[in-house]
């Protein structure tokens, strides 16, 4: 699910309508500054426009998986200069969102 394209109440509405309890959110990419996680390569992972709906979904028991990669934008994995920098970027994204689940899509 592309979080940069969803409305503020989308996740909660879908949960109430369908019982959906887990989502994979796409895509955490490198930002214009390189090895800094951004939604869609545009919005920082802490952007309230994106983060607030995620937190509301989590408050009602929703589980979140972060997905890296994607068709557009700089892959986070290619934007970081070392394994330690990449690990720090993953940690920042996971801690900001409040999850331990990561789906890593590696580009070729």
């Amino acid at each position: 699910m592309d979080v940069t394209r969803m409305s503020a109440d989308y996740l909660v509405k879908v949960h109430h309508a369908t019982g959906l309890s887990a989502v994979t959110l796409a895509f955490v990419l490198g930002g214009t500054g390189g090895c800094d996680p951004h939604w869609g390569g545009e919005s920082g992972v802490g952007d309230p426009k994106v983060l607030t709906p995620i937190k509301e979904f989590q408050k009602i028991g929703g589980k979140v998986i972060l997905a890296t990669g994607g068709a557009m934008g700089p892959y986070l994995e290619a934007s970081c200069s070392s394994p330690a920098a990449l690990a720090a970027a993953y940690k920042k994204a996971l801690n900001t969102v409040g999850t331990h689940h990561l789906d890593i899509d590696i580009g070729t």
Side-chain angles (χ1 to χ4, degrees):
M1 174 176 310
D2 184 345
V3 297
T4 64
R5 308 269 185 254
M6 68 181 183
S7 65
D9 60 352
Y10 180 77
L11 292 173
V12 171
K13 277 186 174 180
V14 170
H15 169 77
H16 289 308
T18 68
L20 179 75
S21 62
V23 294
T24 300
L25 302 176
F27 285 104
V28 176
L29 299 167
T32 57
C35 187
D36 187 31
H38 280 66
W39 295 111
E42 299 171 2
S43 302
V45 291
D47 181 347
K49 180 180 173 192
V50 178
L51 192 58
T52 300
I54 294 169
K55 295 295 186 180
E56 292 299 317
F57 180 66
Q58 290 171 317
K59 281 183 192 175
I60 59 173
K63 305 294 182 212
V64 173
I65 303 163
L66 299 185
T68 68
M72 304 290 288
Y75 277 61
L76 189 59
E77 295 77 10
S79 299
C80 297
S81 61
S82 70
L86 178 59
Y90 286 156
K91 185 176 181 177
K92 178 179 179 179
L94 292 167
N95 287 344
T96 300
V97 172
T99 187
H100 298 287
H101 305 288
L102 186 62
D103 173 0
I104 301 171
D105 297 336
I106 301 294
T108 55

